[in-house]
């Protein structure tokens, strides 16, 4: 994503701590792994972020796969 920045988080964060980081960094997207999906969803809700901007590395029926970001031809597209 042009102009984007990446911030990492501690997997031991509570949903509230993660939400604070999301808000503080002005995040628009969150990428997680299935093991932390529940915490990520709660953090997105607390931070008032769109759940459609939550992506998962791996298999999950509760979030879009990260690979879906790459399915727009030759251009990487963040939707």
């Amino acid at each position: 994503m042009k102009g984007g920045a990446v911030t990492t988080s501690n997997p031991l964060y509570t949903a509230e701590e993660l939400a604070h980081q999301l808000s503080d960094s002005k995040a628009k997207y969150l990428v997680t792994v299935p093991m932390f999906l529940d915490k990520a969803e709660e953090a997105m809700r607390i931070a008032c972020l769109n759940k459609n901007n939550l992506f998962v590395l791996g298999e999950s029926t509760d979030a879009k796969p990260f690979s879906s970001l790459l399915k727009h031809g030759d251009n990487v597209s963040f939707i």
Side-chain angles (χ1 to χ4, degrees):
M1 180 166 89
K2 289 183 179 180
V6 175
T7 181
T8 58
S9 65
N10 185 332
L12 299 178
Y13 277 173
T14 64
E16 291 79 13
E17 290 169 324
L18 180 56
H20 176 76
Q21 182 176 349
L22 293 171
S23 296
D24 192 48
S25 66
K26 297 179 177 76
K28 293 186 169 95
Y29 301 93
L30 178 59
V31 178
T32 190
V33 294
M35 180 189 300
F36 300 119
L37 189 56
D38 290 342
K39 190 184 303 185
E41 288 174 330
E42 179 68 6
M44 295 280 285
R45 185 190 64 73
I46 293 168
C48 298
L49 294 174
N50 186 338
K51 186 183 174 191
N52 289 327
N53 292 341
L54 176 60
F55 296 89
V56 67
L57 293 167
E59 299 294 320
S60 174
T61 58
D62 296 328
K64 290 188 248 177
F66 179 76
S67 62
S68 69
L69 295 172
L70 306 175
K71 291 185 179 176
H72 297 284
D74 294 334
N75 299 320
V76 174
S77 174
F78 288 86
I79 44 179

